[in-house]
Amino acid sequence: MTALTNTPTWQKLASLAEDVKQQHMRDWFASDSSRAKKYQQTACGIELDFSKNLITDDVMKALFSLAGESQVTQKRDAMFKGDIINHTEQRAVLHTALRNFSGQPVYVDGQDVMPEVLACQEKIKDFVASIHSGERKGYTGKALTQIVSIGIGGSFLGPKIMSEALKPYWFDGVTVHFVANVDACHIQDVLADLDHEETLVVMSSKSFTTQETLQNTLTAKDWFLQAGGTQQDIAKHFIAVSSNIKAATDFGMAEDNIFPMWDWVGGRYSLWSAIGLPIALTMGYDNYRQLLEGAYAMDEHFKTAPPEQNLPMLSALLGVWYINFFGAQSHVLLPYYHYLRGFPAYVQQLDMESNGKNISGDTTQVDYATGPIIWGSEGTNGQHSFHQLIHQGTLLIPADFMLPLNVPNQDNTHHAMLASNCFGQTQALMQGKTFDECYADLEGKGLDEAERVKLATHKTMPGNKPSNTLLFEQMDPKTLGSLVAMYEHKVFVQGAIWGVNSFDQWGVELGKELGNQVLDKIVNTDTALSFDSSTNALIARFRQANA
Ligand code: F6P
């Protein structure tokens, strides 16, 4: 047993879980009309109703003890302070410095990073203004109205999904297109409709070594040169966000057109850095700044609110409860807001790349589950596809439902339907429908007894399925910033409890390495294949098809 699973608190939680499994949420709601009020908290424009969870006061108390014994607050403070908490890469973890509006310094290796951060924000602000005003022009004197943002992983998901989520705030006059996949279909589709004289390419890569991003940028460069631009004109049409200045200048970018990144910002936490430039280009600097302000507000909440009121802490502990004591393997995110449809994919990288780990501390192999599978899509669409499994399947899948109370261009008929579906789903998951209720419904339907029993059995809904509901006054930039930071800190708390390093991602390396070896064999068709028989056969088949 590891130290964690051996603690009295862990054992207590395990026994509480056995107890709770014998009970039903519908009875708790029936016997306690104050349950909803008791298990709800509001902060930073997010109203979290967590009453439809398999929790009691004893459970919450034990979960708070678990957080305390895991030294979550000490670990949190070490992160904000700039300690080297990413111990496998010897790096501080300071995405919070990128939205630090306290006026206080933040030190890395004894050096205050805030002057550089603020200078970068000013640079973003000026750059965006120069594009939006049309002052900054392409090589033929045309305004740059088409932005192609190239990046992958955190250098893609954050900018794309946050931009999408804030559509009502878009600046009228520029269009931002996002490209990630190395599949040529993506970049070709985007470039096909663009005039190179009006196009600005933003290449976002912290490392400037990521295959997909490099190749897509090279393809965009070829397209630009073939369309009439010269090597010299590249500087006016290609800019980069990267910590690898040399590689970017070697590519042809003007040094002044390179926005900095720092090794203390992880890719999946980078939208707060200049990686977020496409967001600012999409909606203007002021809106982008609001996004950062919202994240800062959540940082302050996370640092100061007691655990019982702390949204990241509560959502993290509820996750641990289901993952470690109920065997939940996944967590579904269900935004009931079309513009927030990409949010599950954003949290997917954030959570799965952070906590998809099996080593705790320096070298301990965990004997407990860690990060879950994160998935989901916009409501109500999922109700007509995968909700069936959540309602009646054999897996326990905790859900986060999200709904803005006000939406832009509000159509009350649609919005009322959207909200009623959202609330109705959480209700159905919680209360279910008993066999007796289903049996009673079938009275007078002309069924014989055996048919009636059979159908009632199939219609029975077990209920007791946990969900959180997150309401927002509206999904404005500030609230979105808070929401993203809430999930970041949720992931942090869970990582702290499990003792994993949430800030490295060694698991992606082997695939990249082998992919490069395979590429070599695919390109050099006359070389002998020396991998396993399956991989050899796949490469041979590909060679044959492309001969
Ligand atoms: O391969 C994983 C990863 O390193 C992610 O963590 C990161 O967000 C993505 O690739 C892109 O990296 P870069 O910004 O260096 O191109």
Side-chain angles (χ1 to χ4, degrees):
M1 261 186 167
T2 54
L4 180 61
T5 51
N6 210 13
T7 58
T9 302
W10 191 275
Q11 301 297 327
K12 163 119 189 156
L13 281 162
S15 107
L16 282 169
E18 290 317 305
D19 235 35
V20 163
K21 283 173 196 166
Q22 308 308 315
Q23 302 180 49
H24 204 291
M25 270 192 270
R26 77 165 85 89
D27 299 327
W28 294 341
F29 274 98
S31 63
D32 178 6
S33 59
S34 66
R35 185 173 170 87
K37 199 154 175 245
K38 182 155 79 168
Y39 295 127
Q40 72 87 30
Q41 286 297 332
T42 298
C44 309
I46 301 170
E47 299 169 30
L48 171 67
D49 172 354
F50 59 103
S51 62
K52 292 192 183 96
N53 276 288
L54 294 159
I55 50 166
T56 61
D57 288 351
D58 284 346
V59 169
M60 293 314 292
K61 212 168 127 207
L63 287 170
F64 293 134
S65 298
L66 179 68
E69 290 163 18
S70 307
Q71 306 210 304
V72 170
T73 51
Q74 290 86 335
K75 291 175 182 173
R76 174 199 68 196
D77 293 346
M79 172 174 74
F80 277 92
K81 204 152 62 65
D83 288 359
I84 307 288
I85 62 166
N86 176 355
H87 57 87
T88 60
E89 295 179 297
Q90 289 304 309
R91 290 176 183 170
V93 173
L94 275 178
H95 44 282
T96 52
L98 301 166
R99 61 224 191 185
N100 165 30
F101 296 116
S102 69
Q104 298 301 310
V106 179
Y107 294 101
V108 175
D109 283 339
Q111 191 154 359
D112 181 11
V113 299
M114 288 314 298
E116 274 186 76
V117 168
L118 298 177
C120 180
Q121 284 170 1
E122 279 305 302
K123 189 173 163 127
I124 294 174
K125 185 176 174 179
D126 293 346
F127 187 83
V128 171
S130 73
I131 294 284
H132 285 186
S133 65
E135 176 200 328
R136 195 181 181 101
K137 300 189 189 319
Y139 78 102
T140 57
K142 286 191 181 173
L144 296 163
T145 58
Q146 303 300 317
I147 316 289
V148 178
S149 173
I150 301 178
I152 199 162
S155 300
F156 162 71
L157 292 164
K160 176 171 191 290
I161 289 166
M162 301 315 140
S163 298
E164 210 169 72
L166 296 171
K167 182 151 190 242
Y169 299 85
W170 285 7
F171 174 82
D172 203 8
V174 300
T175 307
V176 184
H177 314 262
F178 292 92
V179 176
N181 199 339
V182 76
D183 183 340
C185 302
H186 199 176
I187 184 99
Q188 281 170 2
D189 275 1
V190 167
L191 296 178
D193 297 330
L194 301 184
D195 175 350
H196 77 292
E197 295 174 41
E198 297 175 350
T199 300
L200 174 77
V201 174
V202 182
M203 194 268 205
S204 301
S205 176
K206 178 181 167 185
S207 57
F208 216 95
T209 59
T210 304
Q211 183 198 57
E212 294 90 332
T213 304
L214 276 177
Q215 186 52 50
N216 279 326
T217 310
L218 283 171
T219 299
K221 186 176 170 183
D222 286 349
W223 165 82
F224 179 79
L225 295 174
Q226 275 168 27
T230 67
Q231 186 67 35
Q232 210 178 314
D233 303 323
I234 296 278
K236 285 200 160 145
H237 290 261
F238 286 73
I239 67 166
V241 183
S242 184
S243 57
N244 193 343
I245 312 282
K246 179 163 182 325
T249 46
D250 286 354
F251 185 91
M253 281 145 190
E255 194 152 346
D256 196 39
N257 286 343
I258 301 167
F259 290 75
M261 266 286 276
W262 301 275
D263 71 359
W264 40 263
V265 184
R268 54 196 173 275
Y269 299 88
S270 64
L271 76 94
W272 320 105
S273 72
I275 291 288
L277 176 66
I279 306 175
L281 286 165
T282 304
M283 65 198 70
Y285 182 79
D286 290 348
N287 284 319
Y288 173 67
R289 164 94 183 196
Q290 284 294 305
L291 189 75
L292 269 57
E293 299 255 6
Y296 173 62
M298 183 54 74
D299 292 344
E300 290 300 295
H301 167 76
F302 180 46
K303 282 200 285 190
T304 56
E308 307 75 36
Q309 295 166 18
N310 198 305
L311 300 191
M313 191 75 102
L314 288 166
S315 45
L317 291 173
L318 290 167
V320 166
W321 177 234
Y322 298 120
I323 293 163
N324 295 117
F325 302 98
F326 286 75
Q329 295 194 341
S330 82
H331 189 103
V332 66
L333 300 190
L334 301 165
Y336 277 64
Y337 182 46
H338 180 64
Y339 295 148
L340 208 53
R341 62 192 178 278
F343 198 66
Y346 180 78
V347 179
Q348 195 168 61
Q349 185 201 13
L350 171 64
D351 199 323
M352 294 173 76
E353 205 174 50
S354 295
N355 286 341
K357 313 279 164 68
N358 66 63
I359 301 297
S360 175
D362 285 342
T363 55
T364 307
Q365 179 81 45
V366 297
D367 61 353
Y368 45 86
T370 59
I373 299 161
I374 302 290
W375 62 290
S377 70
E378 68 184 296
T380 61
N381 300 10
Q383 291 175 210
H384 301 277
S385 67
F386 56 77
H387 281 224
Q388 164 65 37
L389 184 145
I390 308 177
H391 285 291
Q392 278 191 317
T394 53
L395 303 171
L396 181 85
I397 303 177
D400 286 355
F401 286 81
M402 300 169 205
L403 177 81
L405 296 168
N406 294 288
V407 288
N409 308 319
Q410 186 156 340
D411 177 311
N412 288 335
T413 310
H414 282 258
H415 199 225
M417 286 181 186
L418 190 68
S420 59
N421 274 287
C422 175
F423 303 157
Q425 285 295 308
T426 70
Q427 196 186 10
L429 286 167
M430 182 275 287
Q431 72 186 27
K433 191 163 180 177
T434 63
F435 171 84
D436 289 347
E437 288 165 339
C438 296
Y439 184 83
D441 277 355
L442 295 170
E443 170 131 43
K445 299 273 193 250
L447 300 172
D448 67 27
E449 180 59 11
E451 282 170 335
R452 191 170 164 188
V453 167
K454 177 181 163 185
L455 200 50
T457 307
H458 282 268
K459 284 177 155 237
T460 299
M461 304 271 284
N464 230 13
K465 311 280 188 188
S467 68
N468 293 314
T469 305
L470 293 93
L471 301 180
F472 325 104
E473 199 64 53
Q474 63 220 353
M475 190 36 66
D476 55 22
K478 192 163 181 188
T479 309
L480 182 63
S482 296
L483 183 69
V484 175
M486 187 194 98
Y487 278 95
E488 285 180 353
H489 296 320
K490 170 192 173 179
V491 167
F492 175 85
V493 171
Q494 294 187 332
I497 289 172
W498 294 322
V500 299
N501 179 359
S502 303
F503 301 102
D504 60 14
Q505 57 283 320
W506 298 109
V508 301
E509 294 305 320
L510 179 62
K512 286 185 193 172
E513 212 181 284
L514 294 180
N516 281 332
Q517 289 175 24
V518 169
L519 180 61
D520 182 58
K521 296 291 178 193
I522 284 180
V523 175
N524 298 305
T525 46
D526 50 354
T527 53
L529 297 175
S530 49
F531 304 117
D532 60 89
S533 59
S534 164
T535 310
N536 286 346
L538 293 168
I539 297 170
R541 179 73 187 95
F542 186 87
R543 280 177 171 178
Q544 182 199 34
N546 286 276

